[in-house]
Amino acid sequence: MKITRMKALVMGTVAVTVTVVAAGVVYLTFFNGKELRYKTQNALRAGTARSGGTELARRGVALTSGLTCADEPGWTKRKMRVTCTSTTADHRPVQVIGAGEDETQAQYYTILVGGRPIVQNADCLGTDCRKKH
């Protein structure tokens, strides 16, 4: 079997392409850097209360008391959900909603003050938004 230059060039190009695609899949699967900040429901509940309070203070929203958090009905290990509540100094209701998805390794936070969103679907709150070194 005789291999021409053209066949060798095509086979080499295909080999390089397959290698690059395989390396990309491995990178996205194992090294995408996305990781849940809070890996358990308890940790999400505590972290949402802390970071939600910090975010509200940073935005100048004064609370009458700390955030009180509870698990959302239907949460699972794979789909964690919490809601934290309080009241502002001027008596408006505050709700901080936190969610974590194990499958996608994504987390989302929403803050409502007086029924109006001041944060929507953020991936971090408060000091959790600082880059980790």
Side-chain angles (χ1 to χ4, degrees):
M1 180 163 140
K2 186 176 179 182
I3 297 180
T4 64
R5 285 185 183 176
M6 185 56 89
K7 285 183 181 176
L9 181 61
V10 169
M11 288 180 2
T13 303
V14 168
V16 168
T17 302
V18 167
T19 302
V20 168
V21 168
V25 168
V26 167
Y27 173 78
L28 289 175
T29 303
F30 296 107
F31 304 108
N32 68 356
K34 206 170 185 184
E35 186 178 324
L36 283 176
R37 186 170 286 103
Y38 305 113
K39 297 180 186 339
T40 66
Q41 185 73 8
N42 287 340
L44 178 63
R45 193 179 328 104
T48 301
R50 180 186 43 75
S51 61
T54 302
E55 184 71 25
L56 286 161
R58 186 179 73 77
R59 292 173 178 267
V61 178
L63 300 176
T64 56
S65 63
L67 290 165
T68 302
C69 298
D71 299 335
E72 280 291 310
W75 73 271
T76 67
K77 277 180 77 172
R78 303 189 115 197
K79 293 186 178 198
M80 300 177 292
R81 306 279 187 269
V82 299
T83 300
C84 304
T85 57
S86 188
T87 307
T88 64
D90 59 352
H91 307 291
R92 292 180 295 159
V94 173
Q95 188 175 25
V96 180
I97 303 160
E101 303 279 338
D102 186 50
E103 186 175 322
T104 61
Q105 294 292 295
Q107 57 248 339
Y108 302 100
Y109 303 94
T110 296
I111 299 178
L112 305 171
V113 175
R116 302 186 84 108
I118 62 168
V119 173
Q120 287 183 293
N121 296 324
D123 60 357
C124 62
L125 292 176
T127 55
D128 287 346
C129 293
R130 294 182 186 153
K131 296 267 186 196
K132 293 182 180 180
H133 295 97

